[in-house]
Amino acid sequence: HSVMGDFPQVCFCRIDIDKYKDIAEKYDIMSVPTTLAFYSGKVIKRCTGLMKKSELFEMLKECQQIQTADSLI
């Protein structure tokens, strides 16, 4: 089953960095694939290289914890 189904509140985007070079530069993306997780407009997690589904799932859980902790402040 899909990781996207486990995190319906997350927006997943795929960007062609050859077409959108300004985005690649802004986020210092030097190799593909690069996965970035944002919260409140800021990068909170970054992973360069291919990720296993379980690694992506763990990354999203960590981001969820950051969001939950932030909402308690």
Side-chain angles (χ1 to χ4, degrees), residues 33-64:
T34 296
T35 303
L36 303 175
F38 292 84
Y39 176 66
S40 294
K42 296 179 184 168
V43 176
I44 58 170
K45 290 280 182 185
R46 175 186 197 98
C47 180
T48 301
L50 192 60
M51 295 175 75
K52 295 178 184 177
K53 183 177 176 179
S54 60
E55 293 170 327
L56 178 59
F57 188 84
E58 284 304 313
M59 179 181 181
L60 292 171
K61 281 177 41 180
E62 289 175 22
C63 293
Q64 212 171 28

Side-chain angles (χ1 to χ4, degrees), residues 1 4-5 73:
H1 80 26
M4 292 169 48
I73 297 174

Side-chain angles (χ1 to χ4, degrees), residues 13-49:
C13 302
R14 183 178 189 166
I15 298 172
D16 180 344
I17 63 168
D18 291 324
K19 186 174 180 181
Y20 298 101
K21 293 178 191 231
D22 56 327
I23 294 173
E25 288 178 23
K26 180 177 180 177
Y27 295 106
D28 197 29
I29 298 170
M30 303 301 241
S31 57
V32 181
T34 296
T35 303
L36 303 175
F38 292 84
Y39 176 66
S40 294
K42 296 179 184 168
V43 176
I44 58 170
K45 290 280 182 185
R46 175 186 197 98
C47 180
T48 301

